[in-house]
Amino acid sequence: MNIEDIRNYCLAKPLATEDSAFGPDGILFRVYNKIFAYIDLDRPDLVVTKCDPDYAITLRDKYNGIRGAWHWNKKYWNKVMFDTDVPDELVYELIDHSLSEVLKKLPKKTQTAYAELTKH
């Protein structure tokens, strides 16, 4: 697993965009202008994703490669390290989970519109 795989996966999500709002050393991935993933170019061995707080604790207890994300609200954001005890499939699942966490905070009309995009 590498950051290019993660970048491609994130950008394959409907309406996903990327930017460097935090500076040139990182890439933010957004849907509806809401962040769902972050890659730190100085740390190409991990991705930061949003997570349900209870699930975040469970994941951190189970995997050495998942920890609270530095400089992010650790209640909601995990750093997920590649080439550790975290399976590649789980990394992708956590990106999907992060996107779901972001979408569920949006207005119902927006959630419905996004769901329609994913049906096609």
Side-chain angles (χ1 to χ4, degrees):
M1 167 125 346
N2 61 56
I3 60 172
E4 195 60 33
D5 294 335
I6 296 301
R7 179 178 179 267
N8 290 335
Y9 189 78
C10 290
L11 289 175
K13 302 298 177 191
L15 303 179
T17 61
E18 68 179 335
D19 64 72
S20 297
F22 293 168
D25 297 331
I27 301 170
L28 295 164
F29 299 94
R30 303 177 192 250
V31 170
Y32 295 109
N33 207 33
K34 302 292 183 191
I35 300 167
F36 70 92
Y38 173 74
I39 294 173
D40 183 339
L41 298 175
D42 290 333
R43 292 285 318 268
D45 60 336
L46 63 88
V47 62
V48 174
T49 61
K50 192 169 189 177
C51 193
D52 170 80
D54 293 330
Y55 188 37
I57 291 168
T58 300
L59 290 166
R60 292 173 197 167
D61 287 345
K62 184 171 182 178
Y63 297 99
N64 291 326
I66 299 177
R67 300 191 188 123
W70 182 254
H71 291 303
W72 296 76
N73 183 333
K74 290 168 188 57
K75 180 177 180 180
Y76 298 103
W77 293 90
N78 287 328
K79 67 178 179 180
V80 182
M81 294 170 275
F82 312 144
D83 302 323
T84 63
D85 60 338
V86 182
D88 289 354
E89 301 80 35
L90 180 58
V91 177
Y92 293 122
E93 288 173 22
L94 292 174
I95 291 169
D96 293 342
H97 175 73
S98 181
L99 180 58
S100 294
E101 288 295 296
V102 168
L103 290 170
K104 78 180 187 182
K105 302 290 185 185
L106 296 174
K108 293 290 181 197
K109 183 177 179 180
T110 305
Q111 292 178 36
T112 302
Y114 192 85
E116 286 298 317
L117 287 173
T118 61
K119 288 183 181 178
H120 303 298

PDB file of all heavy atoms in Angstrom, residues 71-88:
ATOM      1  N   HIS A  71      -2.367  16.399  15.710  1.00  0.00           N
ATOM      2  CA  HIS A  71      -2.903  17.685  15.233  1.00  0.00           C
ATOM      3  C   HIS A  71      -4.355  17.608  14.758  1.00  0.00           C
ATOM      4  O   HIS A  71      -4.834  18.507  14.106  1.00  0.00           O
ATOM      5  CB  HIS A  71      -2.051  18.306  14.122  1.00  0.00           C
ATOM      6  CG  HIS A  71      -0.720  18.778  14.581  1.00  0.00           C
ATOM      7  ND1 HIS A  71      -0.561  19.691  15.591  1.00  0.00           N
ATOM      8  CD2 HIS A  71       0.519  18.463  14.180  1.00  0.00           C
ATOM      9  CE1 HIS A  71       0.721  19.920  15.776  1.00  0.00           C
ATOM     10  NE2 HIS A  71       1.403  19.184  14.941  1.00  0.00           N
ATOM     11  N   TRP A  72      -5.042  16.531  15.047  1.00  0.00           N
ATOM     12  CA  TRP A  72      -6.451  16.371  14.708  1.00  0.00           C
ATOM     13  C   TRP A  72      -7.185  16.043  16.002  1.00  0.00           C
ATOM     14  O   TRP A  72      -6.573  15.610  16.973  1.00  0.00           O
ATOM     15  CB  TRP A  72      -6.642  15.233  13.707  1.00  0.00           C
ATOM     16  CG  TRP A  72      -5.998  15.478  12.383  1.00  0.00           C
ATOM     17  CD1 TRP A  72      -4.666  15.393  12.095  1.00  0.00           C
ATOM     18  CD2 TRP A  72      -6.629  15.840  11.165  1.00  0.00           C
ATOM     19  NE1 TRP A  72      -4.437  15.680  10.783  1.00  0.00           N
ATOM     20  CE2 TRP A  72      -5.642  15.959  10.180  1.00  0.00           C
ATOM     21  CE3 TRP A  72      -7.952  16.067  10.814  1.00  0.00           C
ATOM     22  CZ2 TRP A  72      -5.926  16.295   8.875  1.00  0.00           C
ATOM     23  CZ3 TRP A  72      -8.222  16.403   9.496  1.00  0.00           C
ATOM     24  CH2 TRP A  72      -7.220  16.520   8.544  1.00  0.00           C
ATOM     25  N   ASN A  73      -8.477  16.196  16.024  1.00  0.00           N
ATOM     26  CA  ASN A  73      -9.259  15.821  17.198  1.00  0.00           C
ATOM     27  C   ASN A  73      -9.202  14.302  17.318  1.00  0.00           C
ATOM     28  O   ASN A  73      -9.820  13.583  16.533  1.00  0.00           O
ATOM     29  CB  ASN A  73     -10.697  16.313  17.055  1.00  0.00           C
ATOM     30  CG  ASN A  73     -11.538  16.022  18.270  1.00  0.00           C
ATOM     31  OD1 ASN A  73     -11.282  15.078  19.017  1.00  0.00           O
ATOM     32  ND2 ASN A  73     -12.555  16.836  18.472  1.00  0.00           N
ATOM     33  N   LYS A  74      -8.456  13.830  18.296  1.00  0.00           N
ATOM     34  CA  LYS A  74      -8.196  12.396  18.421  1.00  0.00           C
ATOM     35  C   LYS A  74      -9.441  11.583  18.756  1.00  0.00           C
ATOM     36  O   LYS A  74      -9.436  10.372  18.645  1.00  0.00           O
ATOM     37  CB  LYS A  74      -7.096  12.160  19.437  1.00  0.00           C
ATOM     38  CG  LYS A  74      -5.751  12.630  18.908  1.00  0.00           C
ATOM     39  CD  LYS A  74      -4.707  12.673  19.996  1.00  0.00           C
ATOM     40  CE  LYS A  74      -3.432  13.313  19.519  1.00  0.00           C
ATOM     41  NZ  LYS A  74      -3.593  14.665  19.006  1.00  0.00           N
ATOM     42  N   LYS A  75     -10.504  12.256  19.167  1.00  0.00           N
ATOM     43  CA  LYS A  75     -11.756  11.541  19.420  1.00  0.00           C
ATOM     44  C   LYS A  75     -12.332  11.001  18.115  1.00  0.00           C
ATOM     45  O   LYS A  75     -12.923   9.926  18.085  1.00  0.00           O
ATOM     46  CB  LYS A  75     -12.759  12.474  20.089  1.00  0.00           C
ATOM     47  CG  LYS A  75     -14.092  11.835  20.390  1.00  0.00           C
ATOM     48  CD  LYS A  75     -15.011  12.790  21.122  1.00  0.00           C
ATOM     49  CE  LYS A  75     -16.347  12.137  21.409  1.00  0.00           C
ATOM     50  NZ  LYS A  75     -17.267  13.052  22.114  1.00  0.00           N
ATOM     51  N   TYR A  76     -12.136  11.758  17.023  1.00  0.00           N
ATOM     52  CA  TYR A  76     -12.761  11.421  15.745  1.00  0.00           C
ATOM     53  C   TYR A  76     -11.796  11.020  14.637  1.00  0.00           C
ATOM     54  O   TYR A  76     -12.232  10.463  13.636  1.00  0.00           O
ATOM     55  CB  TYR A  76     -13.569  12.621  15.223  1.00  0.00           C
ATOM     56  CG  TYR A  76     -14.686  13.027  16.119  1.00  0.00           C
ATOM     57  CD1 TYR A  76     -14.568  14.137  16.943  1.00  0.00           C
ATOM     58  CD2 TYR A  76     -15.873  12.300  16.158  1.00  0.00           C
ATOM     59  CE1 TYR A  76     -15.605  14.523  17.783  1.00  0.00           C
ATOM     60  CE2 TYR A  76     -16.912  12.676  16.993  1.00  0.00           C
ATOM     61  CZ  TYR A  76     -16.768  13.789  17.794  1.00  0.00           C
ATOM     62  OH  TYR A  76     -17.792  14.159  18.623  1.00  0.00           O
ATOM     63  N   TRP A  77     -10.526  11.327  14.768  1.00  0.00           N
ATOM     64  CA  TRP A  77      -9.583  11.140  13.664  1.00  0.00           C
ATOM     65  C   TRP A  77      -8.481  10.162  14.039  1.00  0.00           C
ATOM     66  O   TRP A  77      -7.839  10.305  15.087  1.00  0.00           O
ATOM     67  CB  TRP A  77      -8.986  12.475  13.244  1.00  0.00           C
ATOM     68  CG  TRP A  77     -10.002  13.380  12.635  1.00  0.00           C
ATOM     69  CD1 TRP A  77     -10.784  14.292  13.284  1.00  0.00           C
ATOM     70  CD2 TRP A  77     -10.374  13.442  11.261  1.00  0.00           C
ATOM     71  NE1 TRP A  77     -11.615  14.922  12.391  1.00  0.00           N
ATOM     72  CE2 TRP A  77     -11.382  14.425  11.140  1.00  0.00           C
ATOM     73  CE3 TRP A  77      -9.947  12.777  10.109  1.00  0.00           C
ATOM     74  CZ2 TRP A  77     -11.971  14.750   9.923  1.00  0.00           C
ATOM     75  CZ3 TRP A  77     -10.531  13.099   8.900  1.00  0.00           C
ATOM     76  CH2 TRP A  77     -11.529  14.076   8.819  1.00  0.00           C
ATOM     77  N   ASN A  78      -8.259   9.188  13.165  1.00  0.00           N
ATOM     78  CA  ASN A  78      -7.194   8.192  13.325  1.00  0.00           C
ATOM     79  C   ASN A  78      -6.129   8.377  12.265  1.00  0.00           C
ATOM     80  O   ASN A  78      -6.438   8.720  11.124  1.00  0.00           O
ATOM     81  CB  ASN A  78      -7.741   6.775  13.161  1.00  0.00           C
ATOM     82  CG  ASN A  78      -8.564   6.307  14.327  1.00  0.00           C
ATOM     83  OD1 ASN A  78      -8.322   6.689  15.460  1.00  0.00           O
ATOM     84  ND2 ASN A  78      -9.543   5.469  14.040  1.00  0.00           N
ATOM     85  N   LYS A  79      -4.896   8.086  12.650  1.00  0.00           N
ATOM     86  CA  LYS A  79      -3.880   7.891  11.620  1.00  0.00           C
ATOM     87  C   LYS A  79      -3.756   6.387  11.450  1.00  0.00           C
ATOM     88  O   LYS A  79      -3.704   5.634  12.425  1.00  0.00           O
ATOM     89  CB  LYS A  79      -2.558   8.556  11.975  1.00  0.00           C
ATOM     90  CG  LYS A  79      -1.811   7.983  13.135  1.00  0.00           C
ATOM     91  CD  LYS A  79      -0.493   8.724  13.328  1.00  0.00           C
ATOM     92  CE  LYS A  79       0.256   8.173  14.520  1.00  0.00           C
ATOM     93  NZ  LYS A  79       1.521   8.883  14.712  1.00  0.00           N
ATOM     94  N   VAL A  80      -3.785   5.977  10.206  1.00  0.00           N
ATOM     95  CA  VAL A  80      -3.743   4.557   9.855  1.00  0.00           C
ATOM     96  C   VAL A  80      -2.446   4.334   9.089  1.00  0.00           C
ATOM     97  O   VAL A  80      -2.256   4.879   7.998  1.00  0.00           O
ATOM     98  CB  VAL A  80      -4.968   4.167   8.998  1.00  0.00           C
ATOM     99  CG1 VAL A  80      -4.938   2.682   8.685  1.00  0.00           C
ATOM    100  CG2 VAL A  80      -6.270   4.555   9.697  1.00  0.00           C
ATOM    101  N   MET A  81      -1.551   3.561   9.686  1.00  0.00           N
ATOM    102  CA  MET A  81      -0.224   3.359   9.107  1.00  0.00           C
ATOM    103  C   MET A  81      -0.184   2.122   8.219  1.00  0.00           C
ATOM    104  O   MET A  81      -0.714   1.073   8.581  1.00  0.00           O
ATOM    105  CB  MET A  81       0.802   3.286  10.226  1.00  0.00           C
ATOM    106  CG  MET A  81       0.925   4.610  10.969  1.00  0.00           C
ATOM    107  SD  MET A  81       1.888   4.528  12.467  1.00  0.00           S
ATOM    108  CE  MET A  81       0.623   3.992  13.623  1.00  0.00           C
ATOM    109  N   PHE A  82       0.449   2.289   7.064  1.00  0.00           N
ATOM    110  CA  PHE A  82       0.598   1.193   6.111  1.00  0.00           C
ATOM    111  C   PHE A  82       1.718   0.260   6.579  1.00  0.00           C
ATOM    112  O   PHE A  82       2.562   0.625   7.376  1.00  0.00           O
ATOM    113  CB  PHE A  82       0.962   1.721   4.720  1.00  0.00           C
ATOM    114  CG  PHE A  82       0.109   2.862   4.238  1.00  0.00           C
ATOM    115  CD1 PHE A  82       0.664   3.877   3.478  1.00  0.00           C
ATOM    116  CD2 PHE A  82      -1.243   2.946   4.519  1.00  0.00           C
ATOM    117  CE1 PHE A  82      -0.100   4.933   3.002  1.00  0.00           C
ATOM    118  CE2 PHE A  82      -2.027   3.994   4.058  1.00  0.00           C
ATOM    119  CZ  PHE A  82      -1.446   4.990   3.301  1.00  0.00           C
ATOM    120  N   ASP A  83       1.721  -0.917   6.021  1.00  0.00           N
ATOM    121  CA  ASP A  83       2.776  -1.896   6.275  1.00  0.00           C
ATOM    122  C   ASP A  83       2.952  -2.172   7.763  1.00  0.00           C
ATOM    123  O   ASP A  83       4.068  -2.295   8.264  1.00  0.00           O
ATOM    124  CB  ASP A  83       4.096  -1.442   5.638  1.00  0.00           C
ATOM    125  CG  ASP A  83       3.963  -1.238   4.134  1.00  0.00           C
ATOM    126  OD1 ASP A  83       3.231  -2.026   3.502  1.00  0.00           O
ATOM    127  OD2 ASP A  83       4.555  -0.284   3.603  1.00  0.00           O
ATOM    128  N   THR A  84       1.815  -2.239   8.459  1.00  0.00           N
ATOM    129  CA  THR A  84       1.811  -2.616   9.873  1.00  0.00           C
ATOM    130  C   THR A  84       0.862  -3.796  10.015  1.00  0.00           C
ATOM    131  O   THR A  84       0.661  -4.542   9.052  1.00  0.00           O
ATOM    132  CB  THR A  84       1.343  -1.436  10.765  1.00  0.00           C
ATOM    133  OG1 THR A  84      -0.007  -1.093  10.429  1.00  0.00           O
ATOM    134  CG2 THR A  84       2.248  -0.211  10.589  1.00  0.00           C
ATOM    135  N   ASP A  85       0.250  -3.913  11.172  1.00  0.00           N
ATOM    136  CA  ASP A  85      -0.702  -5.000  11.389  1.00  0.00           C
ATOM    137  C   ASP A  85      -2.091  -4.671  10.844  1.00  0.00           C
ATOM    138  O   ASP A  85      -3.021  -5.460  11.006  1.00  0.00           O
ATOM    139  CB  ASP A  85      -0.781  -5.358  12.875  1.00  0.00           C
ATOM    140  CG  ASP A  85      -1.228  -4.203  13.759  1.00  0.00           C
ATOM    141  OD1 ASP A  85      -1.097  -3.028  13.354  1.00  0.00           O
ATOM    142  OD2 ASP A  85      -1.701  -4.473  14.878  1.00  0.00           O
ATOM    143  N   VAL A  86      -2.236  -3.533  10.159  1.00  0.00           N
ATOM    144  CA  VAL A  86      -3.522  -3.132   9.573  1.00  0.00           C
ATOM    145  C   VAL A  86      -3.602  -3.680   8.151  1.00  0.00           C
ATOM    146  O   VAL A  86      -2.812  -3.286   7.286  1.00  0.00           O
ATOM    147  CB  VAL A  86      -3.678  -1.592   9.560  1.00  0.00           C
ATOM    148  CG1 VAL A  86      -5.027  -1.203   8.988  1.00  0.00           C
ATOM    149  CG2 VAL A  86      -3.481  -1.012  10.954  1.00  0.00           C
ATOM    150  N   PRO A  87      -4.533  -4.587   7.876  1.00  0.00           N
ATOM    151  CA  PRO A  87      -4.653  -5.129   6.507  1.00  0.00           C
ATOM    152  C   PRO A  87      -5.031  -4.033   5.505  1.00  0.00           C
ATOM    153  O   PRO A  87      -5.768  -3.098   5.834  1.00  0.00           O
ATOM    154  CB  PRO A  87      -5.786  -6.151   6.633  1.00  0.00           C
ATOM    155  CG  PRO A  87      -5.958  -6.410   8.092  1.00  0.00           C
ATOM    156  CD  PRO A  87      -5.495  -5.181   8.804  1.00  0.00           C
ATOM    157  N   ASP A  88      -4.531  -4.152   4.294  1.00  0.00           N
ATOM    158  CA  ASP A  88      -4.841  -3.175   3.243  1.00  0.00           C
ATOM    159  C   ASP A  88      -6.347  -3.014   3.060  1.00  0.00           C
ATOM    160  O   ASP A  88      -6.837  -1.900   2.881  1.00  0.00           O
ATOM    161  CB  ASP A  88      -4.217  -3.588   1.911  1.00  0.00           C
ATOM    162  CG  ASP A  88      -2.701  -3.452   1.897  1.00  0.00           C
ATOM    163  OD1 ASP A  88      -2.134  -2.924   2.878  1.00  0.00           O
ATOM    164  OD2 ASP A  88      -2.082  -3.870   0.901  1.00  0.00           O
TER     165      ASP A  88
END
